[in-house]
Amino acid sequence: MSDTDIKSLSAFVWSIAETLRGDFKQSEYGKVILPFVVLRRLDCILEETKEAVLDMAASLPDDMDDEARDAILFGAAGQNIRVYNRSRFTFASLKGQDAKDIHRNLLDYVTKFSPNVQDIFLEKFLFTDQLKRLNDAGLLFAVFEQFGQIDLHPKAVSNLEMGYLFEELIRRFSEISNETAGEHYTPREVIRLIVSLLLINDRDALTGTGVIRQVYDPAAGTGGMLSIAEMEMKALNERIRVELFGQELNPESFAICKSDMLVTGHNPENIAFGNTLTQDAHNGRSFHYMLSNPPYGVDWKKYKDAIVAEAEDLGMSGRFGAGLPRVSDGQLLFLQHMISKMRDDEQGSRIGIVMNGSPLFTGGAGSGESEIRRWMLENDWVEAIIALPTDLFYNTGIQTYVWLLTNRKSPERQGRVQLIDASSERFWESMRKSLGSKRREIPPEACDEITRIYSEMLNGGSGWGEYSKIFDTTDFGYREIRVERPLKLAFEVTEEGLQTLQDAKPFQKLDEAEQLAILNALREELPKGQRWMDRSEFERDLSPALIGAGVKGGTPAKKAILSALSERDEDAVVCTDRKGNAEPDTDLRDHELVPLNEDWRDYVQREVLPFVPDAWVDETYTDAQDGGVGRVGYEINFNRYFYKYVPPRPLEEIDAELKALEAEIAGLLQEVVE
């Protein structure tokens, strides 16, 4: 079947949706049409073995084990897919039934599929609800008859062609319901770009006979990424065997994805329902290729306990041992999950994932996000990051990035990361009609160019600096060192200071008589108007004054007095501890980010001491992993590497524009007055 035939078939199915106009919202069309497409495909597939299944089902004892019964009936169906139907009806026989009985008969047909298919129709699609709505609106028989005209037998429409049809329908329904499409659908040109990037350097390995590849998406949605990955791999080698795996949390998206697997001849059991982060349905499995578009900025608070428990109990032997991002965004949890499923063999694995800008730079040294970036970069898994144009997705116009990771880097990429800025107008074109927030798309020629820039490792030195640059992994790392400055305090007894003392909690805990005695001692025993520039001298004068007044104020009270009567003074003597070491002034404490490939001592000598000669580095502030001075952090700041200076407009031009606006406003005001 040619592309034209596929589009014609898609257009015919689409025309059936027009029957629903008025009784269903546009955003609800897919809930009716997609299940009917699946139903018709399965009907065509099972048509030839229908009688054999019915005969076998009738011969089996009622008390037979369910699993054994399923296995026998799957065999009787004689298909490559695990599905059977025990109803006496088919689309052909239903056509000859009275129209008024169509609802009852269709319910019999749908509810007698094998349990794995019933789950799709009844639990996820809620198809019986849609059949009732169609029947109540008087549309059910008309819609059924139209679907009965479509030949979806594998001899007429191959599994690959069925995948194209299903993808085309999903795309159309997602676009007309674009208010929520971005939650469940990734634009096809973005998927094709990711797949192209994943496969471009594997073309030779994917050719030949006996090639098997497993592809996985932990946030599968409607299965678009999986189906397009298979199509592109089949285009390279039609003899390749592609096994698709995924997991999805949204019931309707799961139903569509699992249906896609059914109608295209894949094992539907490879698509699991549930939360990937808390219930890994493919635990223990690894995959050749993994690709995903996980939710952006979605919190994982509801699942926090299970995720934290796994991280603490399993550590680095689990999925989240590297670190946990802030609870408001779980993107990096999905990425860690995918990394945990890399194959530990010669073939290894490749990962392509779309995320927003947050995973690049959110979180300082020692934070969960920084530690996750550190783990990935120090293990040399990050191969490239591509900045995409804005306004590509249906429900958001934000900047997005494709991360490419692998545990089998080529020698020339080892220890290096390629950054590609594909956000400029060179790589996108405006759409004729916006779809929600989607106003731009990546044309095929731009996709090819981005892929070539990546594949050939084009670098700034080769004239591609505006779009592509290659860095060492350590270029993104730094040490956050703590810079201290000495505490310098001057002391003076003032009414303002005494009021501050009275408001202090340690002072308020003393009994009233002791409070009064301290205040009198400070007012009467210490010289008025004197300013002590050395804390030790002030303490020398303070102690006998308090003792003479019979005050037994403990350490907290004394600290409160010193705090209330002091102020910072650059001319004061440096405060020291009992060992004679200078005390740090926490208000002047600062942190410097030292490039990871530079010695922090050299950095401080050059960047700190010339400006604050009395500063020093707190060498007890160390990294938990390597024990070195300062905490190690990693961030990838695209703006820093691809910043383009735009000079301000000349003042004369701005002045002329302002004068023109003033003249225009004056003219409008004149018209109002007249």
Side-chain angles (χ1 to χ4, degrees), residues 216-223 225 246-249 276 291-295 334:
Y216 172 65
D217 183 349
T222 57
M225 285 194 160
Q247 188 163 348
E248 173 55 34
L249 179 62
T276 301
L291 62 169
S292 189
N293 176 20
F334 279 96

Side-chain angles (χ1 to χ4, degrees), residues 11-55:
F12 180 76
V13 175
W14 181 258
S15 70
I16 300 175
E18 292 299 306
T19 308
L20 308 177
R21 188 180 296 275
D23 294 283
F24 288 77
K25 298 177 183 178
Q26 278 194 333
S27 59
E28 296 175 318
Y29 289 178
K31 297 179 180 180
V32 174
I33 301 302
L34 291 172
F36 257 114
V37 171
V38 178
L39 192 64
R40 179 57 178 151
R41 174 67 167 184
L42 294 179
D43 182 77
C44 292
I45 290 173
L46 298 176
E47 181 180 2
E48 296 175 1
T49 58
K50 182 72 174 181
E51 293 303 322
V53 170
L54 292 179
D55 292 343

Side-chain angles (χ1 to χ4, degrees), residues 577-616:
D577 58 22
R578 293 180 180 178
K579 295 181 179 180
N581 299 318
E583 290 183 21
D585 187 338
T586 55
D587 285 355
L588 297 179
R589 176 176 290 164
D590 198 4
H591 293 86
E592 291 284 333
L593 306 185
V594 182
L596 201 58
N597 50 17
E598 181 175 357
D599 190 295
W600 64 268
R601 300 174 188 80
D602 297 336
Y603 178 91
V604 170
Q605 194 68 36
R606 184 184 71 252
E607 300 291 343
V608 178
L609 296 182
F611 309 100
V612 279
D614 57 357
W616 73 92

Side-chain angles (χ1 to χ4, degrees), residues 257-434:
C257 184
K258 191 169 182 179
S259 299
D260 191 13
M261 298 301 107
L262 269 172
V263 300
T264 55
H266 288 282
N267 184 356
E269 304 309 315
N270 290 346
I271 305 301
F273 179 71
N275 188 323
T276 301
L277 299 180
T278 59
Q279 304 161 338
D280 179 12
H282 300 292
N283 186 30
R285 279 191 172 274
S286 57
F287 306 95
H288 296 93
Y289 296 99
M290 290 173 270
L291 62 169
S292 189
N293 176 20
Y296 309 148
V298 176
D299 73 63
W300 45 282
K301 187 176 182 180
K302 290 186 292 186
Y303 323 116
K304 181 179 179 181
D305 291 345
I307 292 171
V308 170
E310 178 177 337
E312 293 177 349
D313 295 344
L314 300 180
M316 295 307 295
S317 63
R319 295 178 294 170
F320 310 122
L324 297 177
R326 60 198 64 196
V327 77
S328 60
D329 190 353
Q331 293 176 92
L332 285 172
L333 293 176
F334 279 96
L335 183 49
Q336 289 184 88
H337 167 79
M338 294 167 80
I339 290 172
S340 74
K341 296 192 173 298
M342 283 182 165
R343 294 171 59 92
D344 187 19
D345 58 18
E346 186 177 343
Q347 291 177 336
S349 300
R350 296 181 62 75
I351 293 174
I353 183 171
V354 187
M355 299 189 287
N356 65 16
S358 176
L360 289 168
F361 50 78
T362 300
S367 68
E369 293 90 347
S370 178
E371 286 298 290
I372 296 168
R373 289 190 292 269
R374 176 182 186 177
W375 173 64
M376 292 188 293
L377 289 163
E378 291 187 353
N379 279 284
D380 200 16
W381 292 324
V382 182
E383 194 169 60
I385 303 175
I386 298 96
L388 298 180
T390 56
D391 301 318
L392 285 181
F393 290 81
Y394 296 99
N395 66 337
T396 180
I398 63 172
Q399 180 95 60
T400 52
Y401 301 81
V402 174
W403 289 57
L404 298 176
L405 296 88
T406 183
N407 59 350
R408 52 180 175 89
K409 276 188 176 183
S410 58
E412 64 272 17
R413 287 189 181 273
Q414 290 175 9
R416 310 176 83 187
V417 177
Q418 183 178 11
L419 301 185
I420 301 173
D421 182 9
S423 64
S424 71
E425 194 170 353
R426 178 188 181 108
F427 301 101
W428 58 264
E429 60 183 26
S430 296
M431 298 176 63
R432 285 178 295 178
K433 181 182 178 182
S434 298

